[in-house]
Amino acid sequence: MGRHRVEYLTDRQEQILRHIRMAITGQGDAPTVAELAAAMGMRPSSVHYQLVVWTLRPNG
């Protein structure tokens, strides 16, 4: 999979997006928030926060 940088995401959000893309490509499904948290070394609430902030951005 090529690198598709989304300019308006933070580095952490870009890492989350990369993990989501890899999971969809490899498994056919997006990971759950809990799976993302475990893979990223974050708390589920922190992953959820990043996803919410991401979707509320004007370009998100």
Side-chain angles (χ1 to χ4, degrees), residues 5-59:
R5 177 91 175 130
V6 180
E7 295 301 323
Y8 54 85
L9 297 180
T10 65
D11 289 341
R12 179 59 91 180
Q13 291 165 344
E14 184 68 31
Q15 291 170 348
I16 292 170
L17 177 58
R18 189 175 314 118
H19 187 80
I20 292 169
R21 286 177 172 161
M22 288 177 12
I24 291 171
T25 300
Q27 302 166 1
D29 287 318
T32 65
V33 169
E35 290 168 338
L36 281 169
M40 305 293 299
M42 299 171 66
R43 295 186 334 247
S45 61
S46 296
V47 171
H48 182 263
Y49 172 80
Q50 291 298 325
L51 295 173
V52 168
V53 169
W54 171 4
T55 58
L56 293 179
R57 286 185 180 219
N59 293 328

